[in-house]
Amino acid sequence: MAFFPIKGFLGTGATFEADLNLVVQVVMGVALIAGSLLAKRKRYAAHGVCQTTVLLSNLGMIGLVMWPSFQQQVRPALPEGLHKWYFAAATIHALLGVMAELLGLYIVIVAGTHVLPQFLRFKNWKRWMRAELVLWSIVVLTGMGTYYAWYIAPFG
Ligand code: HEM
């Protein structure tokens, strides 16, 4: 990406975008956990603002870093490359990441608007939001796994 420096800042040899994405994703993950504690304390408006902000900001990181990286580094090697961890980790991560974003958008639309008809709205909010937090955590972990497979394992 032309407007970023070439080298990262975490000392792993990763690109600048990868290091930036890693740090931003960890901060966003912490923000989501903090946001879930807001719900526990019944501060529902603040909870909604916090979780929605993270969900939408992450669309920015996907569009800026992860989607382009997937198209350039992974797509051309599929499906033949899947037996290599480099491509498999990123592909599993990308599939789960798309699911986590879509589920998150669905939850925000149900919880924050009235646009969906009754039969498309869930009633058990806690269960859906907990499931999303679990899925999101798995996506962050598989993202870290991708970072490891791309920038640490090959040089270890
Ligand atoms: C909830 C959504 C997501 C979260 C929390 C997330 C988290 C992460 C994290 C922590 C990393 C490691 C840092 C890095 O190497 O850049 C990463 C990397 C990556 N993610 Fe995601 N991700 C999400 C969605 C997606 C989606 C939808 C795609 C598919 C296009 C994707 C594709 C990638 C790729 C290709 C990398 C490696 C990028 C690189 O190092 O150049 N991610 N992700």
Side-chain angles (χ1 to χ4, degrees):
M1 220 158 300
F3 48 88
F4 281 141
I6 294 168
K7 272 172 68 91
F9 50 87
L10 293 178
T12 56
T15 59
F16 181 84
E17 298 95 283
D19 283 356
L20 179 71
N21 191 34
L22 185 64
V23 171
V24 169
Q25 294 299 342
V26 169
V27 170
M28 293 212 265
V30 171
L32 286 176
I33 292 169
S36 71
L37 296 178
L38 286 171
K40 220 170 209 152
R41 293 188 187 157
K42 304 204 186 312
R43 297 185 51 196
Y44 296 119
H47 165 68
V49 170
C50 180
Q51 311 309 71
T52 307
T53 306
V54 170
L55 181 79
L56 297 182
S57 319
N58 201 36
L59 281 178
M61 292 310 288
I62 291 171
L64 201 65
V65 177
M66 294 187 275
W67 191 268
S69 176
F70 188 83
Q71 297 303 330
Q72 280 165 25
Q73 310 289 328
V74 185
R75 265 297 286 281
L78 296 185
E80 297 81 14
L82 276 177
H83 64 280
K84 291 195 175 139
W85 267 114
Y86 185 100
F87 301 113
T91 304
I92 293 167
H93 167 72
L95 288 174
L96 293 174
V98 168
M99 281 169 57
E101 273 295 329
L102 291 177
L103 181 61
L105 288 171
Y106 171 62
I107 290 174
V108 165
I109 289 169
V110 171
T113 76
H114 297 282
V115 298
L116 288 180
Q118 209 57 35
F119 75 99
L120 288 177
R121 295 173 64 87
F122 52 78
K123 305 261 155 31
N124 196 336
W125 291 33
K126 224 179 222 177
R127 182 178 286 177
W128 282 80
M129 292 183 190
R130 276 192 187 149
E132 169 67 349
L133 196 58
V134 169
L135 175 60
W136 193 285
S137 311
I138 295 169
V139 176
V140 173
L141 290 176
T142 57
M144 289 173 166
T146 304
Y147 185 96
Y148 182 82
W150 285 25
Y151 306 113
I152 298 177
F155 310 103

